[in-house]
C-alpha cells in the first residue's frame, strides 16, 4: 500500500485506514481507491476486526478527486476507465465503517465520507460538492447520498452552487453524527467504534444491512427484509448469550457465532 496506511488492530477489534497523500490534500485517484478496495476486502474477512475507521489528516479528509488525471479525458475514456467500480466495495463491506473527518471533505472526499456508515467530524471540517465549479457534477454518489442525507432543497443548493458547509451545519442537516474539537475527532470515532465492536458482530452486520436496505426499497419491502434479518439473529449463539446475560444481569460475551 502506497497511498493508504492500514493498521489492523489500532484499537481492540478496530482497524484504521489512513489516506496518505498529504501533499495533494488526500485527493482521490484510481490507485488510492484500488488500495482502499483491497484493504476493505481484507479487513472484511479478518475475524479480529469488527469495525473500520477511515480518516485523512487534520488538514484534509480528502479534498476531492485528482483533477489532473481526468481533465483531458473524453466521455468514452471515462466510461472505459470505470473508476467508480472500486467505490462499490465500500458499500458492499459488511462491517461498519466510520469516517473520522477533519478539514476538507470536498467532492469525492465528501462522497467517500457519505459512503461510510457514520461520520464523526472535527469543528474544522468543511463539506461540499463543488464539481459544478469545474463544469461537471458529482459522479461517486453525491447527488444521491447527499439528497437522502439533507433533503432535496439543501442538496440542490449545495450541488448547484458548489458552496461548502461547516461541520456544525452538516450536523444540523443530519449529514454527520457528531462534531467535536479537532484534538478529539479521531478519539471520538474510535470510542464509537469500540462501543459497536462490543456488540454481536452478526447482529451488527444484519442491522447495517437492514438500515441500508431502507434507502433502496419501498417501506413494505424494507420491513420484510428487516424481519428476515431479525429472525436470522435467532440462529446465532450471540443471541442466546445476549438474552441469557440480560436475564442473569451480567455483561454478554459475544463471539460472532
Amino acid at each position: 500500500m502506497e497511498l493508504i496506511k492500514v493498521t489492523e488492530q489500532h484499537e481492540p477489534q478496530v482497524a484504521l485506514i489512513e489516506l496518505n497523500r498529504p501533499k495533494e490534500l488526500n485527493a482521490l485517484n484510481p490507485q488510492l481507491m484500488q488500495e482502499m478496495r483491497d484493504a476493505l476486502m481484507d479487513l472484511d474477512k479478518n475475524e479480529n476486526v469488527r469495525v473500520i475507521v477511515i480518516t485523512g489528516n487534520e488538514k484534509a479528509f480528502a479534498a476531492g478527486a485528482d483533477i489532473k488525471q481526468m481533465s483531458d479525458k473524453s466521455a468514452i475514456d471515462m466510461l472505459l476507465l470505470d473508476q467508480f467500480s472500486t467505490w462499490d466495495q465500500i458499500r458492499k463491506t459488511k462491517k461498519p465503517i466510520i469516517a473520522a473527518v477533519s478539514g476538507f471533505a470536498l467532492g469525492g472526499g465528501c462522497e467517500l465520507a457519505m459512503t461510510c456508515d457514520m461520520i464523526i467530524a472535527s469543528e474544522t471540517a468543511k463539506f461540499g460538492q463543488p464539481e459544478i465549479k469545474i463544469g461537471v457534477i458529482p459522479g461517486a454518489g453525491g447527488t444521491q447520498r447527499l439528497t437522502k442525507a439533507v433533503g432535496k432543497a439543501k442538496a440542490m443548493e449545495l450541488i448547484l452552487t458548489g458552496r461548502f458547509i461547516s461541520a456544525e451545519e452538516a450536523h444540523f442537516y443530519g449529514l454527520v453524527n457528531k462534531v467535536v474539537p479537532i484534538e478529539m475527532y479521531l478519539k471520538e470515532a474510535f470510542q464509537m467504534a469500540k462501543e459497536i465492536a462490543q456488540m454481536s458482530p452478526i447482529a451488527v452486520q444484519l442491522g447495517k444491512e437492514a438500515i441500508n436496505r431502507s434507502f433502496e426499497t419501498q417501506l413494505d419491502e424494507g420491513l420484510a427484509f428487516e424481519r428476515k434479518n431479525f429472525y436470522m439473529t435467532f440462529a446465532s449463539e450471540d443471541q442466546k448469550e445476549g438474552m441469557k446475560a440480560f436475564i442473569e444481569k451480567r455483561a454478554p460475551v459475544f463471539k460472532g457465532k
Side-chain angles (χ1 to χ4, degrees), residues 211-225:
I211 292 167
N212 283 336
R213 184 58 66 97
S214 74
F215 287 97
E216 302 164 1
T217 61
Q218 298 297 320
L219 180 60
D220 285 348
E221 185 179 345
L223 288 171
F225 189 86

Side-chain angles (χ1 to χ4, degrees), residues 16-160:
L16 175 66
I17 298 177
E18 299 173 88
L19 308 186
N20 188 34
R21 299 187 74 203
K23 292 181 180 179
E24 296 82 10
L25 297 178
N26 292 326
L28 307 176
N29 63 9
Q31 180 185 342
L32 186 151
M33 293 310 300
Q34 287 165 8
E35 291 182 12
M36 176 80 72
R37 175 197 60 198
D38 294 344
L40 288 172
M41 290 178 68
D42 289 342
L43 293 172
D44 223 14
K45 298 173 186 174
N46 188 332
E47 294 183 358
N48 296 318
V49 172
R50 294 187 178 183
V51 186
I52 301 164
V53 174
I54 297 178
T55 195
N57 54 48
E58 290 188 358
K59 189 173 183 179
F61 176 72
D66 195 329
I67 305 303
K68 291 179 180 178
Q69 291 196 353
M70 66 177 78
S71 62
D72 60 349
K73 295 286 193 298
S74 69
I76 300 302
D77 289 335
M78 295 301 290
L79 176 67
L80 296 176
L81 181 61
D82 192 23
Q83 69 186 65
F84 298 124
S85 63
T86 54
W87 288 69
D88 294 339
Q89 184 57 42
I90 305 171
R91 184 172 55 85
K92 293 176 182 176
T93 300
K94 296 175 182 178
K95 294 172 182 175
I97 305 174
I98 301 172
V101 177
S102 182
F104 297 116
L106 307 176
C110 187
E111 289 171 307
L112 176 59
M114 290 191 294
T115 307
C116 298
D117 301 306
M118 290 154 278
I119 302 174
I120 301 296
S122 85
E123 293 171 334
T124 67
K126 297 287 185 183
F127 297 87
Q129 299 289 164
E131 289 90 343
I132 200 79
K133 295 183 177 181
I134 57 171
V136 294
I137 65 171
T143 63
Q144 306 303 299
R145 291 190 176 91
L146 188 62
T147 303
K148 286 178 169 60
V150 306
K152 175 186 173 183
K154 197 65 181 177
M156 283 284 189
E157 175 191 339
L158 296 178
I159 290 171
L160 300 188

Side-chain angles (χ1 to χ4, degrees), residues 6 10 16 18 23 88 108 114 130 140-141 166 181 197 204 231-232 239 247 255:
V6 181
H10 192 279
L16 175 66
E18 299 173 88
K23 292 181 180 179
D88 294 339
M114 290 191 294
S166 67
V204 167
Y231 299 145
M232 281 289 292
Q239 174 267 329
I247 293 168
K255 298 179 179 178

